């Protein structure tokens, strides 16, 4: 047993399960002793989506995937083929189920504040309190969605809607996100970028207007709802919390400030962490991606804060004028400087120029 790797997860949410799966893949599930400490036994489920090439690690957690994505703005929509990529839908519960079938996890129901047991590494997803850089601005991506069953065929099950701005834009940048499960069943979500979450009726009025005006659907049943909010913030947390003790997940700053996407970044982070340990014997967290991306995010956050009315046009130009593969690599922070110049060349310049000089 001495050569088993012991991992203590403080916080047993999405990140803890993703890091466990990567660890099981790297070391072998039998070589791991995994403990997760979390005060909540059964957190509400979360719909989690990721784009990219097939991800064998999460194959058994897959709920549905789409090969085309749609955008809407003004009077137009565009649909883009993802070619070798797909947009894939998992959930916090489907990922946890895979963990529970692949490995043994010692789950402890408790609040935890310090690492008082002998473990090889402690991975902590409690919110950060110490920052390498404090936030200069802080907004929220907040949303409320309905899973609906319609009477008539309403959705194309091959096409998910990533951003449809054809909704009322007062009170914050607002778009509709649609995940279709069949021709008559979809999650339709109203997503907003603004400083404060809304009252429920504000999301609901956008949702019902969108469903009747844009989906031309008058009869439907609401099967379930999803509500959430993700910080859009430029703070950079200090990830080292002690000897062999690091923050992970959103607490580690792995949520992209301008999109909220976190899952793919957690997987990449975990791969780096465990690969480095296997190769060198040292536990160390990866460097942050180039600071250029932090800066781009900060510019867009300033535009969302100061000129929200410009934001739908910026996203529309981004998606309409660039190949989808380039956009997704850009959002994944995997583009070269040359690619980024190409992307920015396609966007309206003036809001970005103003944002450079604003604080
Ligand atoms: C509704 C919703 C939908 C999302 N959809 C997507 C998506 O489609 N794609 C994507 O990439 N990202 C998405 N995200 C963002 C991100 O993937 C999730 O927020 C994800 O849950 C982050 O994982 P985490 O482990 O860092 O945080 P969490 O999953 O929130 O886990 C943190 C855990 O820490 C526990 N904890 C807190 N205090 C203590 C303590 N003192 N001791 C022990 N445990 C403690 C909490 O109970 C919690 O279980 C979404 C977020 C939300 C809210």
């Amino acid at each position: 047993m001495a050569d088993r790797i012991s991992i203590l997860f403080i916080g047993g949410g999405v990140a803890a399960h993703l890091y466990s799966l990567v660890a099981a893949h790297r070391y072998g599930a039998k070589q791991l002793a995994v403990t997760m400490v979390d005060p909540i036994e059964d957190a509400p489920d979360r719909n989690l989506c990721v784009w990219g090439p097939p991800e064998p690690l999460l194959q058994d957690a897959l709920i549905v995937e789409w090969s085309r994505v749609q955008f809407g703005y003004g009077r137009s929509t565009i649909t883009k083929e993802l070619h070798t990529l797909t947009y894939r839908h998992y959930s916090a519960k489907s990922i946890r189920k895979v963990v529970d079938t692949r490995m043994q996890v010692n789950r402890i129901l408790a609040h935890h504040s310090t690492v008082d047991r002998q473990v090889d590494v402690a991975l902590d997803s409690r919110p950060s309190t110490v920052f390498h850089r404090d936030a200069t601005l802080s907004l929220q991506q907040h949303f409320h969605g309905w899973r609906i069953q319609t009477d008539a065929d309403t959705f194309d099950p091959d096409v998910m809607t990533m951003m449809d701005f054809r909704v009322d834009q007062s009170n914050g940048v607002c778009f509709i996100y649609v995940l279709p499960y069949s021709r008559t069943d979809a999650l339709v979500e109203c997503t907003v970028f603004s400083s404060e979450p809304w009252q429920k009726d504000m999301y609901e009025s956008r949702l019902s207007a969108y469903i009747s005006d844009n989906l031309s659907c008058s009869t439907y049943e609401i099967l379930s709802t999803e509500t959430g909010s993700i910080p859009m913030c430029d703070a950079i947390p200090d990830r080292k919390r002690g000897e062999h003790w690091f923050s992970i997940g959103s607490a580690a700053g792995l949520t992209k400030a301008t999109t909220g996407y976190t899952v793919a970044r957690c997987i990449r982070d975990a791969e780096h962490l465990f690969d480095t340990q296997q190769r060198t014997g040292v536990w160390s967290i990866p460097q942050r991606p180039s600071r250029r991306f932090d800066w781009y995010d900060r510019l867009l956050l300033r535009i969302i804060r100061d000129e929200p009315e410009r934001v739908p046009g910026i996203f529309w130009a981004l998606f309409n004028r660039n190949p989808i593969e380039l956009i997704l690599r850009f959002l994944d922070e995997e583009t070269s400087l040359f690619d980024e110049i190409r992307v920015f060349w396609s966007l309206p310049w003036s809001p970005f120029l103003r944002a450079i000089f604003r604080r």
Side-chain angles (χ1 to χ4, degrees):
M1 288 290 170
D3 53 358
R4 280 174 104 196
I5 300 281
S6 52
I7 307 176
L8 170 65
F9 287 100
I10 307 173
V14 172
H17 289 88
L18 293 170
Y19 283 69
S20 300
L21 282 179
V22 175
H25 183 249
R26 291 301 192 265
Y27 298 102
K30 293 212 166 78
Q31 294 306 312
L32 293 178
V34 171
T35 302
M36 285 186 199
V37 183
D38 198 301
I40 297 171
E41 186 164 26
D42 205 9
D45 204 4
R46 281 180 185 177
N47 293 304
L48 300 168
C49 289
V50 174
W51 59 73
E55 172 56 84
L57 195 71
L58 291 180
Q59 187 54 35
D60 294 344
L62 186 68
I63 295 169
V64 60
E65 64 188 327
W66 299 273
S67 56
R68 285 183 284 154
V69 292
Q70 190 177 75
F71 305 89
Y73 173 70
R75 290 164 178 259
S76 312
T77 58
I78 39 166
T79 302
K80 297 223 170 189
E81 190 75 45
L82 289 173
H83 301 291
T84 57
L85 311 178
T86 55
Y87 193 83
R88 294 188 297 278
H89 177 2
Y90 311 98
S91 74
K93 287 214 163 106
S94 77
I95 293 171
R96 176 170 169 162
K97 202 166 155 203
V98 173
V99 170
D100 286 338
T101 54
R102 284 197 198 155
M103 60 204 293
Q104 206 165 6
V105 177
N106 173 25
R107 295 181 187 276
I108 300 174
L109 208 58
H111 282 274
H112 205 285
S113 57
T114 185
V115 177
D116 52 8
R117 55 178 76 210
Q118 287 296 318
V119 287
D120 288 305
V121 67
L123 301 176
D124 194 339
S125 46
R126 289 169 306 152
S128 294
T129 50
V130 183
F131 294 92
H132 176 69
R133 185 183 72 204
D134 288 327
T136 64
L137 80 182
S138 184
L139 300 164
Q140 302 268 324
Q141 174 181 158
H142 47 99
F143 40 88
H144 179 72
W146 290 341
R147 177 137 180 196
I148 58 170
Q149 177 78 51
T150 62
D151 282 349
D153 285 357
T154 305
F155 306 102
D156 179 343
D158 283 341
V159 184
M160 66 79 55
T161 301
M162 201 173 234
M163 289 180 144
D164 193 337
F165 289 100
R166 295 175 300 156
V167 275
D168 179 0
Q169 294 294 322
S170 51
N171 305 104
V173 178
C174 179
F175 61 89
I176 302 289
Y177 176 75
V178 184
L179 302 179
Y181 302 101
S182 74
R183 293 193 178 282
T184 56
D185 176 5
L187 175 70
V188 185
E189 209 150 75
C190 171
T191 303
V192 186
F193 299 158
S194 72
S195 53
E196 296 286 336
W198 285 358
Q199 297 292 324
K200 198 161 135 197
D201 60 328
M202 293 169 75
Y203 305 102
E204 289 183 338
S205 63
R206 262 60 165 201
L207 285 170
S208 43
Y210 183 83
I211 293 168
S212 64
D213 301 348
N214 298 78
L215 301 177
S216 309
C217 172
S218 53
T219 322
Y220 55 91
E221 185 191 346
I222 300 170
L223 303 177
S224 59
T225 62
E226 178 179 69
T227 305
S229 101
I230 304 175
M232 303 178 84
C233 171
D234 65 344
I236 303 180
D238 265 338
R239 292 192 62 184
K240 194 163 162 50
R241 294 187 171 179
E243 200 55 34
H244 296 183
W245 179 6
F246 306 106
S247 61
I248 57 169
S250 294
L254 295 178
T255 297
K256 186 162 169 74
T258 46
T259 64
Y261 286 96
T262 315
V263 170
R265 294 168 138 217
C266 285
I267 295 174
R268 286 198 290 273
D269 192 69
E271 287 170 345
H272 177 102
L273 179 79
F274 298 123
D275 286 351
T276 307
Q277 194 281 333
Q278 279 192 316
R279 218 177 43 251
T280 64
V282 175
W283 293 103
S284 74
I285 40 159
Q287 297 245 312
R288 280 183 72 80
S290 161
R291 286 184 163 238
R292 297 196 308 274
F293 294 101
D294 278 341
W295 189 62
Y296 303 151
D297 280 345
R298 238 176 309 151
L299 294 183
L300 187 56
L301 290 178
R302 286 179 198 160
I303 298 171
I304 293 170
R305 181 193 60 192
D306 300 330
E307 301 184 63
E309 69 288 354
R310 301 298 304 261
V311 175
I314 291 172
F315 276 103
W316 176 253
L318 177 71
F319 290 112
N320 195 24
R321 297 183 187 159
N322 293 285
I324 187 76
E325 178 270 341
L326 173 64
I327 300 162
L328 298 181
R329 271 196 302 118
F330 175 64
L331 296 177
D332 273 338
E333 306 184 345
E334 287 179 343
T335 37
S336 63
L337 184 58
F338 176 76
D339 289 331
E340 291 144 32
I341 292 169
R342 195 172 146 201
V343 168
F344 279 103
W345 194 258
S346 72
L347 302 181
W349 285 27
S350 55
F352 286 92
L353 285 179
R354 285 192 289 275
I356 289 172
F357 298 105
R358 283 203 188 109
R359 286 291 173 268

